[in-house]
Amino acid sequence: MKEAYLVDYARSAFTRAHPRKPEVDGWGETRGDALLARVIDALLARTGLDPQAVEDLSVGCALPVKEQWSFGGRYPLWLSQRLGSTGRDCATRQIDQQCGSGLAALRSAAREIQVGGVEVAVAGGFENMTQVPMGPALFKEGVLTSPEALKDAEWLELEVALNMGITAERLAQAAGIERDAMDEFALTSHRRAARADAEGRFDGERLALANPGGETIQRDANIRPDTGLDRLAALEPVFQEGGRVTAGNSSPLTSGAAAAMLMSSAALDRHGASPLARIVAIADCGVPPERMGAGAAAAAEQALARAGLVASQIDAWEINEAFAAVPLHAMRKLGLDPGRVNVWGGALALGHPLGATGVRLAGTLARILAHRGGRYGCATACIGGGQGIAMVIERV
């Protein structure tokens, strides 16, 4: 098995999506595949890599319907100014593994390199949640459907499994995670993200790109440095009367794109590239769909086992904050030091553009390891439908 290396990573700024008010979303009028193409172009420009060297493109998208259907990943390729004309021989695919789609795209790219199929690959992801909102709206339109037979399955509470907020309520109740703990975690996420932003930590990954209206989008729109526990505590539960999950301790609807460059050892030498990290292990698994948030911890356990590591050896963690209950559950289950988890904030503050998130998790993690001088990192996410996906990396 060959080694696969993460060479570089970039993303757009993440904007606040609003299906009913597209004007408030800086990317509201930008197709997600077009935004990803621009991120890929910027990544290629700063690495100086000849576009013809890219042999493989994997694209993550949680809702690949309507404006987000990309013809198996061909649209981002063709829309790329650098790849469109010279990279037509590049293989592509679009991957839907819900919130794990970005990490699944990285997994696809890494495995192609590890088995010797290609030497240079790009993994990307995008989501425009203004143009293609998740959940009820798409079911009402008939764009998304569920099999009638599943509605009679005794083992499956389908209405719960299809509502991510209710699954977060179930996880919080089962794990004994109280509302105040989730609000405090959300506050920490915003404060850490605001501090990291002020210190320029995201400058090496976040691009300044113009939208169709000519406005340059360069700041993450979801960070709220002025929020406080009193504001978070005043929010009503969203998904269940008397529940614990609110808009404040849930990730916001978000639009954005991210991409990463991966290479083999031979490609590193050939192109004179310096990698950020080595891909050590990848794992995904299934968990009860009614508590899908448990997937982040379960997948991390499997990835650590495959890497021959234990949780205490991981210097930095990126646990996707789909809901505050998810990282809180993982931290308790794995016995993690909070000071090593989401140190630059997470999706509660930065946003969660579903298909792009996994690429951000791994890319930001590699940059955190470089900044802090850590050796091992683990990025993990829960997945709607009852799954989890995790990746262990090692700083080079």
Side-chain angles (χ1 to χ4, degrees), residues 21-394:
K21 297 179 181 178
E23 66 275 7
V24 307
D25 183 352
W27 298 128
E29 302 300 323
T30 303
R31 286 181 59 107
D33 47 19
L35 184 59
L36 175 58
R38 296 181 64 192
V39 174
I40 292 171
D41 283 340
L43 190 64
L44 288 169
R46 77 182 194 185
T47 58
L49 184 72
D50 181 351
Q52 294 188 55
V54 179
E55 304 163 82
D56 192 85
L57 171 63
S58 294
V59 177
C61 180
L63 291 166
V65 298
K66 302 174 78 170
E67 289 92 340
Q68 298 193 154
W69 182 74
S70 76
F71 203 14
R74 300 313 278 174
Y75 289 169
L77 177 79
W78 294 341
L79 289 166
S80 165
Q81 293 184 5
R82 290 175 176 266
L83 288 178
S85 60
T86 61
R88 285 172 291 183
D89 293 337
C90 176
T92 67
R93 66 201 55 82
Q94 182 160 340
I95 299 171
D96 162 20
Q97 199 171 357
Q98 296 295 282
C99 295
S101 299
L103 277 169
L106 282 166
R107 175 188 62 206
S108 175
R111 286 180 176 170
E112 285 293 322
I113 291 172
Q114 288 169 340
V115 300
V118 303
E119 300 287 344
V120 180
V122 171
F126 68 86
E127 211 80 34
N128 186 312
M129 299 183 76
T130 290
Q131 294 184 357
V132 185
M134 66 186 299
L138 296 177
F139 277 97
K140 286 180 180 178
E141 292 179 43
V143 175
L144 302 182
T145 62
S146 59
E148 286 294 324
L150 286 180
K151 297 177 182 178
D152 298 324
E154 295 182 359
W155 61 271
L156 174 64
E157 294 182 72
L158 187 60
E159 290 186 2
V160 174
L162 288 172
N163 188 315
M164 298 303 101
I166 297 295
T167 68
E169 287 281 7
R170 289 287 181 90
L171 179 66
Q173 292 167 11
I177 301 171
E178 298 298 334
R179 161 76 184 269
D180 58 354
M182 294 193 288
D183 287 348
E184 288 174 7
F185 187 90
L187 178 62
T188 298
S189 182
H190 281 281
R191 287 180 171 174
R192 286 180 173 180
R195 182 170 60 249
D197 193 22
E199 293 174 351
R201 302 301 178 203
F202 301 125
D203 293 351
E205 64 185 68
R206 188 178 55 198
L207 305 168
L209 302 171
N211 66 16
E215 178 187 6
T216 298
I217 309 297
Q218 58 185 346
R219 313 300 299 181
D220 295 313
N222 296 297
I223 303 173
R224 299 192 179 279
D226 60 344
T227 194
L229 281 179
D230 54 341
R231 292 187 182 183
L232 291 168
L235 296 172
E236 294 292 330
V238 176
F239 302 99
Q240 181 175 301
E241 186 175 352
R244 311 174 192 191
V245 180
T246 71
N249 56 45
S250 307
S251 58
L253 298 180
T254 313
S255 299
M261 178 77 66
L262 288 85
M263 292 186 184
S264 66
S265 299
L268 292 176
D269 293 339
R270 184 181 312 118
H271 299 290
S274 298
L276 288 170
R278 178 177 70 92
I279 309 298
V280 178
I282 308 166
D284 54 0
C285 63
V287 296
E290 298 88 351
R291 295 196 301 275
M292 66 93 195
E301 288 178 324
Q302 290 198 17
L304 289 174
R306 292 180 185 182
L309 300 170
V310 296
S312 61
Q313 292 176 276
I314 303 300
D315 299 296
W317 292 80
E318 281 291 313
I319 304 174
N320 189 38
E321 297 172 359
F323 301 92
V326 176
L328 285 171
H329 169 266
M331 289 161 65
R332 295 183 184 185
K333 186 79 162 49
L334 301 170
L336 305 184
D337 175 1
R340 297 185 181 189
V341 177
N342 300 358
V343 298
W344 290 352
L348 293 171
L350 295 170
H352 179 19
L354 310 176
T357 289
V359 180
R360 185 201 70 79
L361 292 173
T364 298
L365 179 64
R367 298 186 67 251
I368 288 171
L369 288 175
H371 173 69
R372 296 175 61 144
R375 181 176 181 182
Y376 291 113
C378 181
T380 185
C382 60
I383 297 173
Q387 295 189 78
I389 185 168
M391 174 180 289
V392 175
I393 64 174
E394 180 183 21

